[in-house]
Amino acid sequence: MPSFSFGAVARSGGRRRRIAVSLALAGALGAAAACAPSSAPAGADTDAKASAKPQIDSDFDLDALVAEAKKEGSVTVYDSTGDITKTAAAFTAKYGIKATGVKSKVGDTLEKMTRENQAGNVTIDATFYEDGPSLVGQLLAQKVVYTWIPGTLAQDIPAARQNPLQILSKGNMWIYNPKLFPKGCPVKNVWDLADPAWKGKVAMQDPLGKPNIVEFFNQLKAGGDTQLRQAYKTKYGKELPSGDSAGEAWIKALAKNNPILTSSDDDAAAAVASPNQTKDRVALVSNAKFRDVKDKNYSMRVCTGMQPWAGYQYPKYAAVASKTEHPAAAKLFVYFMLTQDGVDTQLGTGGVPGNPTLKQGSVMPDGLTDWNKQLFVFDPAGLSSDFDNLQPTQDLWRLNHG
């Protein structure tokens, strides 16, 4: 197989036009959320961008819910990973209820659920959703969806994971090709990624087309300052100027170092790990890409020991469509994902269940030994702020990337 080519990425401006359209839509929806009058129930935060309080079903009865869901007959759930088809198949096998799982990018899901809610013609009953800021700032704020939690499990799930309901965490991590670098990852520090030696050699999905990278940037600005400053001192032997935001400084430096921006994680992984690859590159990819080691004979490993983190965890949240005609089936699907049988369908390449009483996936990406210690972990308390800072952070990246 020939080594990866970036011709498909650079050939035309079509993809960038589609990204621009998506961003314009997101901006319009955000403006609508900010201007619309609040319809929050009594006792809920009346800020239009604040998430509605979760519905904790204190009278939860699993048998009664299953019986009602069977009467409804079916359920459709959208997710940004193809693993949703496995979850749907397992759900149908367990409960005898027809479930359809649809892989959809978060931006497409946001648009479709919003339009369906406005039209009163809902086909998406629930979503497993990876973009926390738009979930909190748009879908929940506009009552397009709501958070539902079975009362019997509420005590097992930390409060920080309930609003919105976190069902799973996956990871984006820095990888290298061990065949080209048998002594280990050539990048030891996140500031190395901004070093001239790695100019044009860092592959990653375009942040303007992948919301959780922008969220990562915002989370870094809010919660990564101390670690980034220490990593800077370790590399350069001096302090980062105290007046600078460490997060903003790193984002600007990375953008200016001309990273190779791709339209998908598939392309970023191929840039590093595809068979016969000879280029000395590193890449930021989802842990799901490690299935390509077996499926495509890729050579890839997590940058073990990279300081202060080898990547970041990104949460996946569950939400039920407010106007669904299958509310019981949608709730049952959420409940299923909070059990071992359900979450196991999405742990084929690893991950951390949102319900901490469940076991983590037995498969671990090569080089990753501890999800919480090696990866930066998002703070869900910052989701509303992340939503507010979406455009400024996109502009920061856009203005500094060559």
Side-chain angles (χ1 to χ4, degrees):
M1 178 183 293
S3 61
F4 178 79
S5 167
F6 293 97
V9 176
R11 223 173 358 245
S12 73
R15 286 192 177 111
R16 292 195 178 276
R17 285 193 294 271
R18 288 194 293 273
I19 290 171
V21 171
S22 177
L23 291 175
L25 171 65
L29 290 172
C35 296
S38 172
S39 57
D45 193 327
T46 56
D47 184 342
K49 294 190 296 296
S51 62
K53 289 184 177 180
Q55 294 184 13
I56 298 179
D57 190 351
S58 58
D59 296 323
F60 177 71
D61 182 328
L62 178 58
D63 291 337
L65 185 65
V66 171
E68 187 62 29
K70 286 184 175 180
K71 291 180 182 178
E72 292 172 355
S74 66
V75 63
T76 297
V77 181
Y78 274 43
D79 193 344
S80 56
T81 174
D83 288 339
I84 188 62
T85 59
K86 299 177 183 177
T87 311
F91 177 88
T92 297
K94 186 174 183 67
Y95 297 112
I97 300 166
K98 180 182 178 182
T100 302
V102 179
K103 180 180 180 181
S104 172
K105 292 182 178 180
V106 290
D108 295 336
T109 300
L110 169 67
E111 178 184 2
K112 186 173 175 62
M113 294 195 81
T114 301
R115 293 190 185 283
E116 288 188 350
N117 179 271
Q118 292 170 344
N121 182 24
V122 172
T123 65
I124 305 173
D125 300 306
T127 181
F128 292 163
Y129 197 83
E130 291 180 357
D131 183 21
S134 67
L135 175 62
V136 167
Q138 293 171 247
L139 292 178
L140 282 166
Q142 296 181 63
K143 301 298 181 181
V144 173
V145 300
Y146 63 93
T147 297
W148 174 85
I149 302 172
T152 54
L153 298 180
Q155 63 183 4
D156 297 331
I157 302 171
R161 298 185 185 181
Q162 291 189 14
N163 191 21
L165 177 62
Q166 183 176 322
I167 54 169
L168 182 67
S169 284
K170 292 281 192 171
N172 278 348
M173 46 206 68
W174 296 104
I175 64 163
Y176 70 102
N177 189 324
K179 289 184 178 180
L180 300 179
F181 298 99
K183 294 183 179 180
C185 183
V187 174
K188 309 298 183 184
N189 187 309
V190 294
W191 289 97
D192 291 346
L193 301 168
D195 192 280
W198 285 93
K199 189 177 183 68
K201 297 180 179 181
V202 178
M204 59 189 292
Q205 189 169 339
D206 189 338
L208 301 183
K210 186 165 185 176
N212 72 43
I213 294 182
V214 178
E215 183 181 1
F216 169 53
F217 290 164
N218 278 321
Q219 289 274 330
L220 272 185
K221 289 191 292 182
D225 192 84
T226 300
Q227 295 98 319
L228 284 173
R229 288 182 179 278
Q230 182 58 53
Y232 184 93
K233 185 176 181 180
T234 298
K235 177 173 174 59
Y236 296 108
K238 61 181 180 180
E239 301 284 351
L240 183 72
S242 59
D244 294 342
S245 159
E248 284 196 11
W250 181 78
I251 294 165
K252 289 165 64 176
L254 176 64
K256 289 180 178 179
N257 213 32
N258 196 30
I260 303 163
L261 302 186
T262 70
S263 61
S264 69
D265 275 356
D266 290 333
D267 290 342
V272 168
S274 60
N276 303 320
Q277 181 59 258
T278 60
K279 301 292 186 179
D280 54 340
R281 300 181 180 126
V282 294
L284 180 67
V285 303
S286 166
N287 63 281
K289 296 298 101 182
F290 275 83
R291 64 168 58 96
D292 292 337
V293 172
K294 179 180 179 181
D295 296 346
K296 298 181 180 179
N297 196 31
Y298 275 18
S299 178
M300 56 198 294
R301 196 170 195 270
V302 176
C303 284
T304 307
M306 188 172 177
Q307 296 298 317
W309 316 281
Y312 63 91
Q313 286 188 41
Y314 59 91
K316 180 180 293 188
Y317 304 98
V320 177
S322 298
K323 297 180 180 179
T324 173
E325 295 183 357
H326 308 107
K331 292 175 182 178
L332 184 61
F333 206 100
V334 171
Y335 170 83
F336 183 58
M337 197 63 176
L338 294 171
T339 68
Q340 198 71 58
D341 287 346
V343 78
D344 278 348
T345 64
Q346 298 207 17
L347 294 179
T349 52
V352 180
N355 182 347
T357 67
L358 306 181
K359 296 178 181 179
Q360 293 186 17
S362 58
V363 176
M364 190 75 76
D366 186 23
L368 187 70
T369 57
D370 192 310
W371 286 84
N372 294 318
K373 291 182 179 179
Q374 288 177 271
L375 303 180
F376 178 85
V377 180
F378 288 5
D379 179 5
L383 293 179
S384 183
S385 176
D386 291 345
F387 179 75
D388 289 336
N389 287 305
L390 171 66
Q391 192 63 51
T393 300
Q394 288 174 332
D395 290 343
L396 178 69
W397 178 267
R398 187 182 293 108
L399 290 172
N400 286 282
H401 184 258

